[in-house]
Amino acid sequence: MIPYGRQCISEEDIQAVNKVLRSDYLTQGGTVTAFEQKVADYCGAKHGVAVNSATSALHLACLALGLKEGGRLWTSSISFVASANCGIYCGAAVDFVDIDRDTFNLCIVSLEKKLKEAELTGDLPDVLVVVHLAGQSCKMKEIKLLCDPYGIKIIEDASHAIGGKYESFPVGSCRYSDITVFSFHPVKIITTAEGGVAVTNSPELAEQMELLRSHGVTRDPVKMEGDSDGEWYYQQIALGFNYRMTELQAALGCSQMESLDYFVSKREEYALKYNDCLAGLPLALPVVDKDCQSAWHLYIVRLQGDTTEVTRKDLFDYLRQNGVGVNVHYIPIHTQPYYQSLRVYDDLFEAERYYSEALSLPLYPGLGDKSQDYIIDQLKGYLG
Ligand SMILES: *Cc1c(COP(=O)(O)O)cnc(C)c1O
């Protein structure tokens, strides 16, 4: 089966991890700091905080921004559940904004309408998590303009989008957000096996996330209550977690960063070939906004139900039976039983329609021309 995504590990990556294994520090050494710096520098952000997953990064980002019991978080329903769960972890209520029909990202018109309604009912969110689906940035400038008058904090869930650009700046520059979060799960653009980084331009937010990543414990006398008892002394000054990234993961991450631009260019090459070869089939192909350069985490097509009898399930089953590991990203979060048990959700028509039509085709740097040609032939044979 050709998978929909796969990591790309080089001999240098393996050497980098081996080197850490032979060293004194498997955790809490300098490699994590080096990786944080590398990611922050790449994005043009001031600070990076590495953790054991993007899910942990989203949780810490929400906590650092002050989200708590009684608060509200909004996000897009077409995302992985982690984009919403971070709000629930903080005791906040979660609601969803509908998506744009062409980019599948959060819809600006829906956001504006929902904010106006929430202003009247006193239900404005404290935090908005925007998701750069498939690697394409949301319209950050418009989003910030809409959120600023209400003081709403913005987190970019850029789990798909490291290596992408918005208005010629790297995703993660945080020019229009408070914090940006990346995932390094093996199917994402680069990998640390498990892992994530939160980047920000705010020293206070970075400091808070660092504290909470490691139990809420500090060794810095300046932050302690009263005097330090001595060199051995530490104080717990908040309730934190163990969300730390290991040195092994950070070494892999540092090494993978060297290939990031190459990975994105290979992904783009395959994406453009899909664009060329699939035109004319009853599929809506990905649309990239003029302000964006996608990192091409996913190549999502939408089956055009009005022009073919074939259903998405037919197409999915056919391709899977023929060795093409297609997938569906994502099932709308608001339709999950857990979220259904919490409340009723309105106005998510486009998200639900998207779900009935969407299919992710295999896309990763090691896909290879032969595999891609085979996938294209299968699609043409079935739909053409
Ligand atoms: C993968 C992913 C996450 C979670 O990342 P982990 O590193 O696996 O915790 C969150 N949001 C989105 C959009 C993702 O694709």
Side-chain angles (χ1 to χ4, degrees):
M1 182 84 75
I2 304 167
Y4 85 84
R6 193 188 194 281
Q7 72 276 11
C8 193
I9 301 292
S10 68
E11 202 46 49
E12 287 77 19
D13 293 338
I14 294 167
Q15 291 307 323
V17 175
N18 269 338
K19 199 170 148 208
V20 171
L21 274 172
R22 294 177 208 283
S23 75
D24 291 335
Y25 294 99
L26 301 186
T27 186
Q28 293 176 286
T31 319
V32 167
T33 315
F35 181 50
E36 294 173 333
Q37 196 59 51
K38 248 190 160 79
V39 174
D41 287 350
Y42 181 90
C43 300
K46 291 209 175 78
H47 309 275
V49 180
V51 287
N52 57 0
S53 72
T55 303
S56 300
L58 286 165
H59 185 193
L60 295 188
C62 287
L63 289 172
L65 289 170
L67 190 65
K68 54 181 186 288
E69 192 90 39
R72 291 181 207 87
L73 176 146
W74 289 3
T75 187
S76 167
S77 188
I78 298 300
S79 183
F80 186 56
V81 292
S83 309
N85 288 346
C86 54
I88 309 280
Y89 296 157
C90 299
V94 170
D95 200 359
F96 301 94
V97 183
D98 207 1
I99 60 162
D100 177 79
R101 190 192 190 115
D102 296 321
T103 62
F104 324 143
N105 279 334
L106 183 136
C107 170
I108 304 303
V109 178
S110 303
L111 177 63
E112 184 170 20
K113 180 165 166 275
K114 199 172 169 73
L115 285 170
K116 290 222 169 95
E117 288 166 4
E119 185 178 18
L120 294 176
T121 54
D123 293 320
L124 283 165
D126 304 284
V127 171
L128 177 69
V129 176
V130 299
V131 182
H132 303 326
L133 199 81
Q136 168 165 219
S137 174
C138 293
K139 293 180 183 300
M140 294 309 301
K141 194 176 196 165
E142 287 87 341
I143 289 169
K144 184 154 170 63
L145 273 171
L146 288 173
C147 287
D148 268 356
Y150 304 113
I152 299 164
K153 307 290 186 195
I154 301 172
I155 299 172
E156 296 177 66
D157 182 345
S159 291
H160 300 180
I162 195 166
K165 287 187 175 164
Y166 174 70
E167 292 183 335
S168 322
F169 287 85
V171 168
S173 71
C174 298
R175 288 163 78 234
Y176 300 111
S177 68
D178 295 282
I179 298 171
T180 300
V181 166
F182 300 114
S183 171
F184 305 124
H185 179 278
V187 297
K188 307 294 164 77
I189 308 284
I190 62 162
T191 190
T192 60
E194 296 280 0
V197 163
V199 292
T200 180
N201 289 321
S202 154
E204 292 80 17
L205 291 174
E207 204 170 277
Q208 190 63 15
M209 290 191 285
E210 271 168 32
L211 181 71
L212 296 177
R213 141 180 91 178
S214 205
H215 309 281
V217 160
T218 185
R219 290 182 178 274
D220 181 356
V222 178
K223 292 185 193 133
M224 292 179 187
E225 283 184 26
D227 292 330
S228 167
D229 291 350
E231 286 280 310
W232 69 87
Y233 194 62
Y234 59 82
Q235 270 186 359
Q236 185 186 349
I237 57 172
L239 182 63
F241 310 87
N242 181 352
Y243 279 173
R244 291 189 303 260
M245 174 179 272
T246 68
E247 291 286 288
L248 301 169
Q249 292 168 305
L252 180 55
C254 284
S255 183
Q256 286 261 302
M257 280 300 286
E258 303 297 321
S259 305
L260 172 54
D261 289 339
Y262 167 74
F263 288 164
V264 172
S265 72
K266 279 307 278 184
R267 287 174 173 277
E268 181 175 51
E269 198 181 306
Y270 289 125
L272 296 179
K273 179 158 171 186
Y274 275 139
N275 283 349
D276 278 349
C277 298
L278 301 178
L281 296 180
L283 299 172
L285 304 179
V287 174
V288 180
D289 205 86
K290 61 167 175 28
D291 292 331
C292 296
Q293 259 175 268
S294 179
W296 290 108
H297 167 53
L298 298 171
Y299 191 89
I300 300 172
V301 297
R302 282 175 74 160
L303 190 66
Q304 295 186 298
D306 45 353
T307 57
T308 174
E309 294 291 295
V310 176
T311 67
R312 193 270 315 275
K313 186 171 187 312
D314 296 336
L315 183 60
F316 180 97
D317 290 345
Y318 175 82
L319 291 167
R320 279 280 179 109
Q321 278 154 22
N322 286 280
V324 181
V326 285
N327 222 325
V328 175
H329 299 95
Y330 291 94
I331 302 154
I333 302 172
H334 74 277
T335 67
Q336 295 290 353
Y338 174 75
Y339 280 92
Q340 283 290 308
S341 77
L342 298 179
R343 56 165 289 176
V344 173
Y345 306 93
D346 304 317
D347 296 330
L348 297 166
F349 171 78
E350 203 47 53
E352 289 174 17
R353 208 176 68 119
Y354 164 90
Y355 173 57
S356 68
E357 301 175 346
L359 194 69
S360 304
L361 304 182
L363 182 63
Y364 52 94
L367 177 61
D369 293 330
K370 252 180 70 184
S371 294
Q372 189 178 27
D373 289 342
Y374 174 77
I375 296 161
I376 291 164
D377 286 345
Q378 289 297 316
L379 280 159
K380 283 183 168 165
Y382 194 67
L383 293 172

